Amino acid sequence: MSTKDYSSKQETAIAKFLGWSVVSGSGSRACCPGDITSFDWLGECKTHLSPNTKITFYETVWHKICEEAASKFKYPVLFVDDGSQSIDHTWCVYPINAVSSADLIVRPYTRKFQRNISFYHSSLLQESQQTKLCEPVDSVGVVFATTFGGHRVGITTLRTFGAVFGGE
C-alpha cells in the first residue's frame, strides 16, 4: 500500500469511530483543510507505514492544524497512531480548554520535551490506566495536560476522546 492508502485507511477508521466526516481530498485543497471534521472539530491524522512502539506529535503539524481549524472556527485535534492503524493505539492532542467534562481526570504531564511530544504507547497507556484505578470517581478516562507549541493541550487516547467528543 502507498502512504496515501495508509492515511486514507486511518482517516476513515477514526472518522467512523467518532461519527465524523472525512474531508474530501483530505486537506489537499486550500479551501478544504484537515483530514476529518465534525461540527466543532477539525482533525489532522498521522500514521506510519509500519508499526512501531512510539507515538510522536510534531509541533509543525500541530501548528498547521491549529491555523486551519482557526480558519474554520473549530477546535483543532491531532490524531497519531503507532503505525498499526488501530483505534486502541491512537492518541490525540487538543486544546485543554475544550475539556469541560467532569467525567475526565486531568493530570499534569510532567515529562520534558524540546519541540515534539514523543512517548511509548504502552508506557503512557499504563500510566493512564493506573491513574484511573486510583481515582474515586467513575471517570471516562485520563487526559494529560501540558504545554505544546505555545498552547495548553490535553493528550489522551482516541477512545477517551471519542467518549467525550465523538458522535457530534
Side-chain angles (χ1 to χ4, degrees), residues 69-80:
S71 76
K72 297 291 184 180
F73 304 100
K74 296 185 178 202
Y75 288 114
V77 57
L78 175 57
F79 301 98
V80 177

Side-chain angles (χ1 to χ4, degrees), residues 121-155:
H121 164 73
S122 58
S123 297
L124 201 57
L125 183 63
Q126 182 178 4
E127 192 173 335
S128 176
Q129 291 168 340
Q130 287 174 344
T131 299
K132 191 173 176 186
L133 289 173
C134 294
E135 293 293 325
V137 289
D138 185 26
S139 66
V140 171
V142 177
V143 175
F144 296 94
T146 191
T147 301
F148 180 49
H151 301 100
R152 286 295 293 160
V153 299
I155 304 168

Side-chain angles (χ1 to χ4, degrees), residues 28-66:
S28 62
R29 299 186 318 255
C31 62
C32 299
D35 294 323
I36 63 174
T37 189
S38 74
F39 183 78
D40 291 321
W41 294 90
L42 185 66
E44 182 77 16
C45 302
K46 294 296 177 190
T47 189
H48 302 280
L49 296 180
S50 60
N52 61 56
T53 57
K54 220 172 206 183
I55 303 287
T56 302
F57 294 100
Y58 292 99
E59 185 178 34
T60 55
V61 178
W62 173 246
H63 281 297
K64 176 183 173 277
I65 193 60
C66 285

